[in-house]
Amino acid sequence: GESVGLHLPTLSVQEGDNSIINCAYSNSASDYFIWYKQESGKGPQFIIDIRSNMDKRQGQRVTVLLNKTVKHLSLQIAATQPGDSAVYFCAEKDGHQGAQKLVFGQGTRLTINP
Amino acid sequence: KAGVTQTPRYLIKTRGQQVTLSCSPISGHRSVSWYQQTPGQGLQFLFEYFSETQRNKGNFPGRFSGRQFSNSRSEMNVSTLELGDSALYLCASSLLARANEQFFGPGTRLTVL
C-alpha cells in the first residue's frame, strides 16, 4: 500500500518537534474535511475530521485547523514521533445527496529525523 | 475485529485481459468504496456501494465496474486492461453514520504488462 509520489511534497522534522502539514482544497460545498495517514505497505488510516462549520478540532496529539476564507486546511502533530513517519492526505467529503465520496489531495510525506 | 481484507494482494495481467478484485469489509460495515492509487494521479474515487446498490461513481470509464453482495462483500472488475490501469486498488468500508472514517484494506497491486 505504498503511496509513492514522484512529486510528493515532503516535510522533514526533528523527533519531538511539532509538525504542520498544509492542504488547499477546492470545493466550497464540502461538508467535512478529513485527514488520513498512509504508512508504507498499508492502506490509508483515518486520523481526524472537521465539519465545515468549525475552524478547529483537537484530537490526541493532533489538531486540525480550517480556514474557509482561503480554503486552507492544516494538521498539526505535537511532539512528533518516529511512528508518525508516513504520507498524510487531506480529503474532502461532499455531503450532498448522501454522497460518501472522498476527494483526496496529493499527499505530503512526513519524515522524522532522530 | 478483523480489518478489511482484499484479495489477491498482487496481480500481473497483460493488456486486453480482464481482472476481478475482491474485498471483504469489516463486519457490520455496509458501505464499501473503491479507490485507485497511482503515483501520478494519487488516490482517486472509483465507486461506492451500500446495500448492494452503487450510490456514487467516480470519473472512470465504463471498463471499471463493481458490485456488492448481500453479505456486503464487494468485487470490482476491470475489462480490456490498459497499461495505465496499473495501480494499487484500495477498498474501504465504513459505517453509514461515520462515512468520514473509512477503514482501508492493504490494497491489490495490479500490474498490466
Side-chain angles (χ1 to χ4, degrees), chain A residues 12 24 44 86 90 105:
Chain A
S12 185
C90 62

Side-chain angles (χ1 to χ4, degrees), chain B residues 74-85:
Chain B
S74 178
E75 289 181 347
M76 68 163 281
N77 184 278
V78 188
S79 62
T80 320
L81 284 166
E82 300 176 0
L83 295 179
D85 297 332

Side-chain angles (χ1 to χ4, degrees), chain B residues 59-105:
Chain B
N59 190 25
F60 278 82
R63 299 185 298 106
F64 292 81
S65 63
R67 59 178 176 168
Q68 186 181 34
F69 303 95
S70 58
N71 61 358
S72 295
R73 191 177 68 84
S74 178
E75 289 181 347
M76 68 163 281
N77 184 278
V78 188
S79 62
T80 320
L81 284 166
E82 300 176 0
L83 295 179
D85 297 332
S86 293
L88 181 70
Y89 290 89
L90 291 158
C91 168
S93 74
S94 68
L95 293 170
L96 191 62
R98 283 291 300 156
N100 297 341
E101 189 172 1
Q102 298 195 14
F103 292 80
F104 283 80

Side-chain angles (χ1 to χ4, degrees), chain B:
Chain B
K1 194 183 250 189
V4 176
T5 57
Q6 293 187 245
T7 56
R9 291 293 311 277
Y10 301 91
L11 206 49
I12 299 175
K13 293 284 187 179
T14 56
R15 279 181 298 174
Q17 287 187 309
Q18 76 165 17
V19 67
T20 299
L21 311 181
S22 181
C23 171
S24 292
I26 290 173
S27 178
H29 288 190
R30 294 167 63 192
S31 173
V32 174
S33 299
W34 288 88
Y35 295 84
Q36 182 196 64
Q37 187 171 32
T38 60
Q41 299 298 317
L43 268 162
Q44 292 190 288
F45 174 81
L46 280 157
F47 23 67
E48 185 248 346
Y49 287 87
F50 179 79
S51 291
E52 303 177 66
T53 302
Q54 185 183 88
R55 298 199 306 167
N56 297 282
K57 190 176 192 306
N59 190 25
F60 278 82
R63 299 185 298 106
F64 292 81
S65 63
R67 59 178 176 168
Q68 186 181 34
F69 303 95
S70 58
N71 61 358
S72 295
R73 191 177 68 84
S74 178
E75 289 181 347
M76 68 163 281
N77 184 278
V78 188
S79 62
T80 320
L81 284 166
E82 300 176 0
L83 295 179
D85 297 332
S86 293
L88 181 70
Y89 290 89
L90 291 158
C91 168
S93 74
S94 68
L95 293 170
L96 191 62
R98 283 291 300 156
N100 297 341
E101 189 172 1
Q102 298 195 14
F103 292 80
F104 283 80
T108 294
R109 169 70 63 187
L110 172 65
T111 301
V112 182
L113 303 176

Side-chain angles (χ1 to χ4, degrees), chain A residues 16-28:
Chain A
D17 286 354
N18 296 335
S19 302
I20 300 176
I21 302 170
N22 297 302
C23 175
Y25 65 90
S26 56
N27 185 3
S28 298

